[in-house]
Amino acid sequence: MDDLTRRRRWAALLALALGSVAIGLTEFVPAGLLPDIARSVLGNAEPDSVARAGWMITAYALGVVVGAPVLATVTARMRRKRLVLALLVLFVLGTVASAVASSFGLVLVARFAAGLPHGAYFGAAGLLAATLMGPGSEGRGFAVVLSGLTVANVAGVPVITRLGQAAGWRTAYLVIAGVFLLALVAVAATVPDAPAAGGSPADELRALRSPQVWLVAVTASIGIAGFFAVDSYLAPITTSVTGLSPGAVPWALVAVGLGMTVGNILGGWQADRNLRRAMVVGFAAVIAANVYFGLMVGSAFGLFTGAFLIGGTILFLGPVLQARLIAVAPGAQLMGAALNQSAFNTANSLGAALGSVVIAAGLGYRATAWAGVVVSAVGLALAVVGLVVGRRTVAGTPADELVSSSGRGDFEKKAAGEVT
C-alpha cells in the first residue's frame, strides 16, 4: 500500500476508527441509560428493574465472547476489507434490531447478536490499519483504531446518553446504528483492499491449545470485572448515591472517558518498558480505584475523581494484556486480538451480572465497588501466578521453540517480561 497518498491513508485509518467509535457507543451507552431502559421496557426504574435491565449489558458482552473466537476462525481466509465491511453490516442490523425489539426478551437477543462481530472487528480493522501504516508503524495503526473507544467515551457516550434521556433509549440506538452505517460507507470509500486477515483456521485455533493463553484470558475476565461492576450502574449511582440530577450522568461518563484516554497512553508506555511490572501495578491500581470510589462516591468530587480513576486504571491494563496475549499466542494474530476483546467482554458480562446480584440482594449501589475490589484482587493473584509460571516456562523451553523464522523471539520475551 506504498502507493497511497498521505491523505488517503489517514482517511482510511479514520474510517476504521469511526467503526470503533460506534462500537464504543453501542457498548457503553447502556451504562447511562439503564434507568430509562428499565422504565421503558420493564415499567419502572426501581433498583430491581434497573438490575434486570443490566442484563442488556451482559447479553452484548456474551455475544462478544462467543463471536470473537468463532468469527476469527471461520473468517481467517477472508480478505480484510471485505471482512470489515461484513462485520459493520452485522453491527447495523443488530443495533437496529435492539432499537425496535418489542419485548425485553427480544432486546436481549438483539444485544447478543449485536455483540457477535465486536472482537473480530478489532482484530481485522487493527491488522488492516497496521498494513496501512506500513513496516515499523504497526503499533500506531492499532492505536488509531483503538482510539475510537476513547473518543466514544469522552464525547460520544455522554452526548448519546443525553439524547437518550431526552428522546428515549430507542432513539439513541437508532442514532448509533446510523454511526455504524456512516462507518460502513467511509470504509467502503476509503480503505483499499488487503490480503486475508489471518492465517488458516487451523493456525488460529492452535492458539487455543496454549494454557498460558487461557490463563491470561481468565485473568482479564475476572480481574477487569471489577470495573464493569461499577461502570454498568454509574447512572443510578450518580443519582441515588451521590444525589445529583440525571443531567450529571453524562459528565460522570466524560470523567470515565478521560480516565480511559490517559490510562491507554500510560498503559502502552509501561507495557513497552516492563510488562511484568505493568500487569501487577495495573491490577493493584484497579483495586485502589474501586476502594476510593466506594469510600468517596457520596460526594460529587468523589464521584468524578473516582470515575476518572476507574476508567484510567482499567484502560491502563488494555494494552498490557494485549501485549501479554501477543507473547503467549504467536502465529495467530486475528485470534489473539479477538481473544483480548473476548476476555474484556467476559469481564463486562461478569461485572454487570455481579453488580446486578449485589443490588438485587439489597446491598445498595455503593456495594458494586466493594464487589469490584474482590474480583480485582482475584485478578491480581492470577496475574502473579501467570507471570511466575510464564517465566518458568520460558526458562525451560528450547530456543528454537521461542524464536520463529520471523525473528519475533526478542519481542515476545520482552512482552513476557524476560527482556528489560
Side-chain angles (χ1 to χ4, degrees):
M1 298 186 181
D2 293 336
D3 57 339
L4 291 178
T5 64
R6 179 181 176 85
R7 179 176 298 179
R8 173 73 184 279
R9 179 175 285 107
W10 277 102
L13 289 168
L14 292 175
L16 294 169
L18 182 59
S20 62
V21 169
I23 292 174
L25 295 177
T26 198
E27 182 175 16
F28 292 108
V29 157
L33 292 177
L34 281 185
D36 303 87
I37 294 170
R39 190 177 299 108
S40 170
V41 181
L42 301 174
N44 64 78
E46 296 300 317
D48 286 350
S49 295
V50 172
R52 186 181 172 196
W55 285 98
M56 273 185 65
I57 299 171
T58 301
Y60 180 88
L62 288 174
V64 179
V65 172
V66 173
V70 172
L71 290 178
T73 301
V74 301
T75 63
R77 294 190 182 278
M78 195 171 180
R79 297 186 73 83
R80 294 178 191 174
K81 179 178 179 179
R82 186 176 302 173
L83 174 56
V84 168
L85 290 173
L87 294 171
L88 286 170
V89 169
L90 292 178
F91 273 123
V92 172
L93 295 176
T95 308
V96 170
S98 302
V100 302
S102 58
S103 68
F104 185 61
L106 291 177
V107 169
L108 293 182
V109 172
R111 294 311 297 151
F112 176 84
L116 292 173
H118 178 120
Y121 180 87
F122 277 105
L127 292 172
L128 190 51
T131 302
L132 285 166
M133 294 295 291
S137 301
E138 291 86 352
R140 285 194 296 150
F142 276 100
V144 168
V145 174
L146 291 174
S147 69
L149 288 179
T150 61
V151 171
N153 278 279
V154 172
V157 171
V159 171
I160 299 298
T161 298
R162 188 58 180 158
L163 172 66
Q165 291 174 335
W169 71 272
R170 295 183 188 275
T171 299
Y173 268 99
L174 288 175
V175 171
I176 295 171
V179 179
F180 275 121
L181 184 59
L182 182 60
L184 174 65
V185 173
V187 168
T190 64
V191 177
D193 201 5
S200 69
D203 289 337
E204 300 296 332
L205 284 172
R206 196 170 293 120
L208 300 179
R209 294 167 53 187
S210 168
Q212 276 289 315
V213 167
W214 287 106
L215 183 54
V216 176
V218 171
T219 300
S221 299
I222 296 176
I224 295 172
F227 163 78
F228 290 104
V230 175
D231 187 68
S232 299
Y233 301 94
L234 193 58
I237 288 172
T238 300
T239 56
S240 298
V241 179
T242 312
L244 301 179
S245 70
V249 173
W251 294 107
L253 295 172
V254 168
V256 174
L258 289 172
M260 286 182 168
T261 302
V262 175
N264 186 46
I265 295 170
L266 293 178
W269 178 59
Q270 282 297 313
D272 286 338
R273 290 173 61 85
N274 190 319
L275 181 54
R276 300 174 66 85
R277 182 176 61 196
M279 286 189 68
V280 174
V281 170
F283 277 111
V286 171
I287 296 171
N290 274 275
V291 170
Y292 178 88
F293 191 88
L295 292 174
M296 302 296 293
V297 72
S299 69
F301 177 81
L303 170 71
F304 291 118
T305 54
F308 177 89
L309 289 174
I310 61 172
T313 54
I314 206 61
L315 220 61
F316 177 94
L317 281 171
V320 171
L321 289 166
Q322 180 67 77
R324 182 63 178 169
L325 272 172
I326 291 172
V328 299
Q333 291 180 312
L334 188 57
M335 182 64 76
L339 283 176
N340 192 46
Q341 293 298 316
S342 184
F344 264 76
N345 281 273
T346 299
N348 192 346
S349 178
L350 289 175
L354 179 62
S356 175
V357 169
V358 298
I359 294 168
L363 299 178
Y365 292 118
R366 192 192 291 257
T368 58
W370 305 119
V373 170
V374 173
V375 292
S376 297
V378 175
L380 174 60
L382 289 173
V384 172
V385 169
L387 291 171
V388 171
V389 172
R391 169 168 280 180
R392 291 176 179 173
T393 300
V394 170
T397 302
D400 59 355
E401 294 181 23
L402 283 174
V403 184
S404 74
S405 60
S406 64
R408 64 174 177 260
D410 287 343
F411 169 75
E412 286 174 6
K413 285 192 281 185
K414 180 179 179 181
E418 301 302 325
V419 175
T420 58

